[in-house]
Amino acid sequence: MQIGIIGAGQIGGALARRLAAVGHSVSIVNSRGPHTLGELVAETGVTAAASAADVVRGARVVVVTVPLKAVPDLPSDLFAGADDDLVVIETHNYYPRERDGLISEIEDGLPESRWVERHLGRPVVKVFNGTYAEDITARARPAGAPDRLAVPVAGDDEAAKRVVRDLVDEIGFDTVDAGGLDDSWRQQPDTPVYGLRGGVDAVVKALAEADRERPAAFRAHPAG
């Protein structure tokens, strides 16, 4: 499968390593230019692309994993001409105090994934937003392993979600269907599943225990 990754930070780099390791053709781009990706290219054999448009072209799956505040800066025509069945994965989290600043729509209750989807102009599937990057490479396990970790997957398009769940299984993790994007708040920062290292049953339980109220620590300003 041809897979493009936009963003070469910790999550993007870890996914590039695992996806390449299981045989996929991976291209990756960052904001600093392909010359800064030499180490990753040498280690994994992935292709360092010159632009985000280059990683989208011909891809079956595209992973967008840039800082949340950078999503609106991506090209407005990024997915123009892309196939209708292109699957877009997003891994974003809203960190208003540390990085992203105030985003009023999210503060007012819009799920982070909905906000990302609106800016990208394509349906998205949310996964790996609450996973430690090092676990993606160090804690991958074969199917059926007793210590295999599980991750929640949210999205509105069931076919796209199936592609993503199969891909996640292939790189060494179980998945739990976390519902549609309107349910994706259940896996946002500071929810019980965020950062959870557990199997399917633990993830199901954590999703059920989530509280819709955004914690004060993940608001731009304290409530009141």
Side-chain angles (χ1 to χ4, degrees):
M1 187 183 295
Q2 187 168 333
I3 299 174
I5 300 177
I6 300 173
Q10 292 186 342
I11 293 292
L15 288 174
R17 288 175 171 86
R18 285 300 300 141
L19 290 164
V22 298
H24 293 291
S25 176
V26 178
S27 61
I28 189 167
V29 67
N30 66 4
S31 60
R32 294 173 295 141
H35 64 282
T36 65
L37 297 171
E39 184 176 336
L40 181 64
V41 170
E43 176 190 341
T44 64
V46 303
T47 299
S51 70
D54 288 339
V55 304
V56 171
R57 191 176 300 112
R60 177 69 178 92
V61 174
V62 169
V63 182
V64 183
T65 182
V66 299
L68 186 75
K69 67 178 181 179
V71 170
D73 298 329
L74 293 171
S76 59
D77 60 350
L78 180 59
F79 297 107
D83 292 342
D84 289 342
D85 63 352
L86 172 69
V87 175
V88 179
I89 292 172
E90 68 93 13
T91 72
H92 300 88
N93 296 302
Y94 177 47
Y95 299 128
R97 301 191 192 184
E98 297 88 348
R99 183 190 66 197
D100 299 317
L102 171 67
I103 299 176
S104 297
E105 299 96 322
I106 296 178
E107 293 273 340
D108 292 340
L110 184 71
E112 295 163 10
S113 294
R114 262 311 163 214
W115 186 87
V116 171
E117 181 183 66
R118 290 179 182 182
H119 282 282
L120 295 181
R122 295 280 302 200
V124 299
V125 178
K126 189 178 196 74
V127 66
F128 285 129
N129 70 292
T131 305
Y132 295 101
E134 62 267 27
D135 287 351
I136 294 174
T137 52
R139 300 191 64 168
R141 298 290 187 271
D147 60 343
R148 200 183 208 214
L149 301 181
V151 295
V153 181
D156 295 335
D157 185 322
E158 291 301 323
K161 195 155 55 173
R162 184 71 265 166
V163 170
V164 173
R165 295 183 71 182
D166 288 347
L167 199 59
V168 173
D169 174 70
E170 189 178 0
I171 65 172
F173 300 87
D174 287 334
T175 60
V176 172
D177 189 335
L181 282 194
D182 288 337
D183 300 308
S184 63
W185 59 268
R186 293 182 181 277
Q187 63 197 82
Q188 291 177 173
D190 213 28
T191 57
V193 82
Y194 185 82
L196 177 68
R197 286 167 161 151
V200 169
D201 291 345
V203 169
V204 169
K205 181 175 183 290
L207 289 169
E209 292 174 346
D211 188 329
R212 183 66 186 260
E213 184 70 20
R214 180 173 291 278
F218 290 92
R219 289 184 176 276
H221 306 290

